[in-house]
Amino acid sequence: MTASPRHAARRPLRIRHALALLGVGAMTLAPAVALPTTASAQQAPERLTLSPTADPATSQTVTWRADHGRTAVLEIAPTTDPDQVTRVQGQVTGDAGGTHYAATATDLTPDTAYRYRVGDGDQTVAAWHTFTTASHEADPFSFLYFGDIQNDITSGAAPVVRAALAAEPDAALAVHAGDLIDHANSDSQWGEWYDAFGSQTTGGINHVTAPGNHEYSGTNLSDHWTPQFPGAGNGPTDGADLNETVYHTDYQGVRFVVLNSNYRNTTPLRPGAWLDTQRDWLASVLEDNPNPWTVVTFHHPVFSNSPGRDNGPLRDSWLPILEEHDVDLVLQGHDHSYSRGNLTANRTQDPDTHTGPVYAVTVTGPKMYDAQDDNWADRGAEARVQLTDTQTFQTVEVDGPHLEYVARTADGRVVDSFTIVKDDQGKRVTTTS
């Protein structure tokens, strides 16, 4: 997106800066051609992914897939001092189409560009990649938000993903609200997902990922999920799959919280207790939040775009907490249409402005459903914007007391935008398009 004058001078050029320090041209920001995605073709490490820790200012988890036995090594150095390489021992984390590995670098310097590579530390190594640690201050940054990518990834979803990367090349994070692929254990579909983003992106910025129902096969979480997206390890441990899928990470003044909304898959006989475990954990995470902003993401919407897709148990358990703690953004997917709204109780005298949380439902891939606002209206909410047959990506810029959200199509058309301002007059969410 085109930065407003207020953002243009202050936006951190994280990826470009890191690449420039290595002498790499800006054209390398285009999605790279990924290595082969079948187990039989594996040689060098592939499917490189940055997964956030609880404190991305001082630590970073890297995951990858390869065939270099049980030995795993992450080599990392500041880009300004590339000879000062630290070797971090990794570990095998699973087998899904090949052996998966993970390593976490700690004691990193905040707001610093690093170069790294992974492998066995001997003969099998990946190319050097770069990332930049977060600042410990609430410095301005931007992130991307994707709804369901899921179907026809290469020809249908990838063009939208690449438009997002081109529109916001300095994005520090990518938030994924579930259904990254269509069949939980399809190695080829996971390969398409990685190809859509390219290794400079999957291995260059942190990916905050919530599982959708298509990341489940029956009641089982995808074999690929945890090895690729291990999370920060600070979520609840009491409940099916919660330790692997629920966590929070703090990035420059924003607490990002990931929940698992798949109560139909994980605990079909006792959904209430499983959801309430997350509710209680969420309440504690929000009560102890030192950041001025909060973003919560999960897959199934609190207010669905189709009356036939209501998620009543989830809404009953989580909505009061989201409202009580005035979460800023609730980012969801699942309904294969676009909507953005709020509780009617949070209206103001200005018809374009409301208070309280913003609830967004988006879709990046080409699979589409019809949309209606019945489920919103019947539950005390309103959909301010609702669209069908519209693939979008979302850019969010956070700058001090200002947050700007823009939803665009692959051709750059803005379909929704709003700002959130927090000042001595309180919090205001104002539609700008």
Side-chain angles (χ1 to χ4, degrees), residues 281-409:
W281 174 84
L282 175 63
S284 67
V285 166
L286 298 180
E287 288 167 1
D288 191 34
N289 181 11
N291 302 280
W293 298 96
T294 308
V295 175
V296 176
T297 186
F298 48 87
H299 184 59
H300 299 79
V302 174
F303 305 109
S304 294
N305 288 353
S306 172
R309 294 169 69 85
D310 183 44
N311 303 296
L314 182 153
R315 182 176 53 256
D316 293 343
S317 183
W318 295 356
L319 180 62
I321 300 299
L322 298 171
E323 289 289 325
E324 176 187 347
H325 293 278
D326 198 9
V327 167
D328 298 300
L329 298 179
V330 182
L331 307 181
Q332 307 148 104
H334 188 60
D335 280 352
H336 296 272
S337 54
Y338 182 92
S339 64
R340 187 260 298 180
N342 53 273
L343 286 186
T344 56
N346 292 329
R347 291 171 175 168
T348 69
Q349 293 182 343
D350 181 347
D352 292 327
T353 300
H354 68 87
T355 61
V358 175
Y359 300 92
V361 180
T362 71
V363 56
T364 299
K367 180 180 178 182
M368 295 291 159
Y369 295 156
D370 290 335
Q372 303 174 40
D373 66 356
D374 302 49
N375 190 270
W376 292 75
D378 291 346
R379 273 79 187 181
E382 58 185 345
R384 290 177 175 259
V385 180
Q386 197 163 61
L387 303 166
T388 58
D389 298 320
T390 307
Q391 295 174 251
T392 65
F393 66 89
Q394 288 64 231
T395 59
V396 181
E397 295 193 10
V398 184
D399 187 350
H402 301 270
L403 181 149
E404 182 179 19
Y405 168 112
V406 181
R408 285 186 170 88
T409 59

Side-chain angles (χ1 to χ4, degrees), residues 12-284:
L13 302 179
R14 295 187 173 277
I15 300 176
R16 285 179 174 169
H17 174 63
L19 292 172
L21 289 171
L22 291 173
V24 180
M27 289 302 292
T28 57
L29 287 171
V33 176
L35 294 169
T37 58
T38 60
S40 61
Q42 286 181 52
Q43 295 296 327
E46 60 175 1
R47 300 192 183 180
L48 198 64
T49 312
L50 295 189
S51 189
T53 64
D55 182 11
T58 61
S59 57
Q60 180 63 63
T61 295
V62 184
T63 68
W64 69 98
R65 191 174 78 171
D67 58 358
H68 52 66
R70 309 296 296 180
T71 303
V73 176
L74 164 66
E75 297 180 333
I76 184 169
T79 57
T80 55
D81 195 3
D83 293 332
Q84 296 300 313
V85 176
T86 299
R87 290 166 61 93
V88 180
Q89 293 299 124
Q91 60 183 345
V92 173
T93 57
D95 187 275
T99 304
H100 287 260
Y101 306 84
T104 300
T106 58
D107 298 321
L108 302 178
T109 303
D111 196 19
T112 299
Y114 285 88
R115 69 193 301 242
Y116 74 96
R117 66 180 182 178
V118 299
D120 64 359
D122 185 15
Q123 297 180 346
T124 304
V125 292
W128 289 98
H129 284 69
T130 63
F131 70 90
T132 301
T133 52
S135 169
H136 261 154
E137 305 301 320
D139 293 338
F141 75 99
S142 63
F143 67 91
L144 294 165
Y145 155 41
F146 299 97
D148 303 39
I149 291 175
Q150 190 178 344
N151 299 90
D152 192 17
I153 296 173
T154 298
S155 60
V160 186
V161 170
R162 289 167 184 158
L165 300 179
E168 200 71 13
D170 303 317
L173 299 159
V175 175
H176 305 269
D179 282 6
L180 284 64
I181 46 78
D182 193 37
H183 295 94
N185 293 310
S186 171
D187 192 64
S188 62
Q189 289 178 13
W190 282 115
E192 289 184 59
W193 186 88
Y194 275 94
D195 288 349
F197 284 91
S199 65
Q200 293 293 344
T201 298
T202 63
I205 65 175
N206 273 300
H207 292 263
V208 179
T209 53
N213 54 295
H214 283 267
E215 271 76 61
Y216 278 84
S217 177
T219 59
N220 297 315
L221 183 64
S222 169
D223 294 339
H224 295 255
W225 188 263
T226 305
Q228 293 172 167
F229 313 117
N234 53 9
T237 58
D238 182 17
D241 297 337
L242 296 185
N243 190 43
E244 297 88 350
T245 57
V246 177
Y247 62 94
H248 66 84
T249 182
D250 294 338
Y251 195 98
Q252 294 182 194
V254 180
R255 172 154 288 184
F256 290 89
V257 183
V258 177
L259 300 175
N260 187 338
S261 61
N262 293 280
Y263 62 90
R264 294 179 180 88
N265 297 86
T266 54
T267 54
L269 299 180
R270 297 181 66 249
W274 187 79
L275 290 168
D276 288 351
T277 295
Q278 294 185 72
R279 175 202 64 195
D280 296 343
W281 174 84
L282 175 63
S284 67

